Amino acid sequence: MSPRRTLVAAAALLGLTATAAAVPASVAQAEPAVSAPGAVIADWARLTGEVVDPEGKSNSSETSVWHAVVSAGMYNAVVGIEGRYEPYRWSERGPGSASSVAAAATAAHDVLLHYFPQAKPKLESAYAASLAEVPDGPAEKAGVEFGRRAAAHMVALRKDDGFGAQVPFTTSPALGVWRPTPPAQQPFTSSWLGRLRPMLIERPDHFRPAAPPALTSARYAADLIEVKAVGAKTSTVRTAEQTETARFFTTVDLQGALADRAERHGLDLVDTARLFAAVNTVQVDAAIAAWDAKLHYGSWRPVTAIREAENDGNPLTEADPAWEPFLVTPSHPDYLSGHTTTAGALVRTLTTLSDRPDLDLRVTSVMMKKTRHYHVPDHYTSDVEGARMWGGIHTRTANEVGTATGQRIAAWALARHFRPLTA
């Protein structure tokens, strides 16, 4: 590495964690730190979150779109050089002598700079740090050039995809139909997600489930009675463990969990790129499917259903006009639960990629700063389902159907994308 590049890397590290630290001249003989093989993928995934949602206020399903686009771009840049897996909606190949690390960093940098030019100083600093890990020469130059092509391809793929478009909620007002919920009474947020062009599946309604239970059904009554009891703000039946789980799953650090998994499993650069790209693109399509169902069925949230139960025509339900959920209700319909749909997709993606039943997922709660280690896929999905019910914001049916839908999406998508190359 040239002295100039070492200084650039050191300067970058003052403001942003990079893949490895530059070695001071005074300790030049000391053994340098060794980065994980796929560190460039994890580093740019973390940076994507910082650039897209610097204040941590965005809907996780919205930010997942950018994680998917960036990680798919990096994946194409890496496998286009290294091979082993089919590129994502691309057929171009780079020279085998090119640096795949430089290609991945360039792809991520260029995609983010295209959509978030205001973040240029942070992006340039991180990019300098990433390239400082690559020896100067033809391999780096070729990697940069191919990474630029991979980024341009991703930007072209996502042109006019419907991100942020105005999508009205058109279901006619009636009993059982969603309406703004307290305390903020906000209109339907992120409705465009239900009409966003998917990344893997064919169209938003491809995996639309059957309708939720009718208001007069026994299943509807059971759902409402259950969430009313365990999801109330002042519930006396929700346990301390259930309360903690409801808080834990408000938002989790998925990208950090993927980085942890890649490092603990000893994944190389190619498999790390595949892990991030597969998980993040499947997550987006799971969110799209959930929001498609929300737009199509428009079912009201528990807080509305419980307060207005006297009008639902079901003799098994009983109204409580003052009822409040434990967690604040997000401003979109109950069916499907976005959290459980993406959770179902996540566990099926991870077990499919690893070809083993053990989940081995260490995930950290953004709110609680605690980490849980899940080995059994059903334990993870049941906790996410429970969390949304114990929080008082989703019914059991919306949760369980969400999990099943996410699993179906992942199975369908991975049978067609990110597959090993055939000889």
Side-chain angles (χ1 to χ4, degrees):
M1 185 187 303
S2 68
R4 176 186 64 80
R5 307 195 83 185
T6 300
L7 288 173
V8 170
L13 284 164
L14 291 176
L16 182 68
T17 300
T19 56
V23 181
S26 60
V27 292
Q29 301 305 312
E31 179 134 358
V34 178
S35 300
V40 65
I41 306 296
D43 286 347
W44 281 92
R46 283 190 287 267
L47 183 63
T48 298
E50 295 173 11
V51 168
V52 171
D53 188 20
E55 298 181 0
K57 295 181 179 179
S58 296
N59 181 304
S60 60
S61 294
E62 292 182 26
T63 59
S64 71
V65 176
W66 300 115
H67 281 297
V69 173
V70 172
S71 61
M74 289 194 288
Y75 170 81
N76 275 350
V78 170
V79 301
I81 294 170
E82 302 284 349
R84 286 177 34 196
Y85 298 107
E86 297 174 344
Y88 168 72
R89 301 190 186 279
W90 205 29
S91 58
E92 293 193 35
R93 295 296 303 272
S97 60
S99 166
S100 50
V101 171
T106 302
H109 165 270
D110 285 12
V111 168
L112 287 170
L113 186 61
H114 175 83
Y115 292 109
F116 301 93
Q118 70 276 13
K120 184 175 181 178
K122 175 174 280 196
L123 293 171
E124 295 302 316
S125 176
Y127 188 45
S130 290
L131 290 187
E133 296 297 312
V134 182
D136 293 326
E140 179 194 51
K141 182 178 179 181
V144 168
E145 290 177 354
F146 189 67
R148 292 220 166 104
R149 287 163 58 193
H153 178 69
M154 281 306 305
V155 170
L157 276 179
R158 300 311 297 174
K159 184 178 180 181
D160 300 325
D161 63 0
F163 186 97
Q166 295 296 316
V167 176
F169 177 60
T170 57
T171 305
S172 300
L175 287 170
V177 174
W178 179 85
R179 69 202 66 172
T181 52
Q185 303 289 347
Q186 293 181 332
F188 194 141
T189 58
S190 307
S191 57
W192 52 267
L193 268 170
R195 297 295 176 264
L196 186 70
R197 185 193 309 143
M199 297 198 71
L200 306 173
I201 64 177
E202 295 173 353
R203 60 184 190 272
D205 64 349
H206 191 164
F207 289 90
R208 183 185 293 167
L215 266 61
T216 54
S217 68
R219 177 65 182 270
Y220 174 85
D223 277 349
L224 203 64
I225 292 168
E226 182 178 32
V227 72
K228 181 182 179 182
V230 301
K233 188 173 184 178
T234 57
S235 174
T236 58
V237 297
R238 185 178 58 246
T239 68
E241 181 179 0
Q242 291 169 341
T243 296
E244 179 174 298
T245 299
R247 289 194 176 110
F248 184 94
F249 281 104
T250 51
T251 306
V252 297
D253 179 13
L254 177 57
Q255 307 308 309
L258 296 180
D260 171 78
R261 182 184 181 87
E263 185 170 358
R264 286 188 299 105
H265 286 218
L267 301 188
D268 64 11
L269 175 60
V270 178
D271 281 317
T272 300
R274 183 190 187 219
L275 171 68
F276 275 80
V279 168
N280 285 319
T281 53
V282 172
Q283 290 286 285
V284 166
D285 281 10
I288 289 170
W291 258 257
D292 167 76
K294 290 175 186 289
L295 278 169
H296 183 74
Y297 294 117
S299 56
W300 59 7
R301 286 280 187 161
V303 64
T304 310
I306 293 168
R307 292 184 178 190
E308 300 187 18
E310 65 179 12
N311 301 316
D312 63 17
N314 194 318
L316 300 177
T317 63
E318 184 176 343
D320 181 354
W323 189 88
E324 292 184 67
F326 174 56
L327 299 177
V328 175
T329 301
S331 50
H332 38 76
D334 174 53
Y335 186 87
L336 296 174
S337 162
H339 272 61
T340 66
T341 308
T342 54
L346 174 63
V347 299
R348 179 60 62 88
T349 301
L350 292 179
T351 54
T352 300
L353 292 181
S354 63
D355 193 25
R356 53 186 291 181
D358 180 42
L359 184 60
D360 190 19
L361 178 67
R362 285 166 43 93
V363 62
T364 300
S365 168
V366 175
M367 172 188 284
M368 302 189 70
K369 311 300 182 187
K370 292 182 178 181
T371 300
R372 294 185 177 188
H373 194 167
Y374 287 91
H375 290 282
V376 180
D378 286 350
H379 291 176
Y380 182 82
T381 53
S382 65
D383 269 5
V384 178
E385 291 173 5
R388 309 313 277 173
M389 186 171 60
W390 300 324
I393 57 179
H394 276 299
T395 59
R396 177 177 290 276
T397 296
N399 290 330
E400 292 181 345
V401 177
T403 296
T405 300
Q407 291 176 336
R408 289 173 54 222
I409 289 169
W412 187 95
L414 294 178
R416 292 162 176 80
H417 298 277
F418 309 109
R419 297 175 298 186
L421 290 170
T422 56

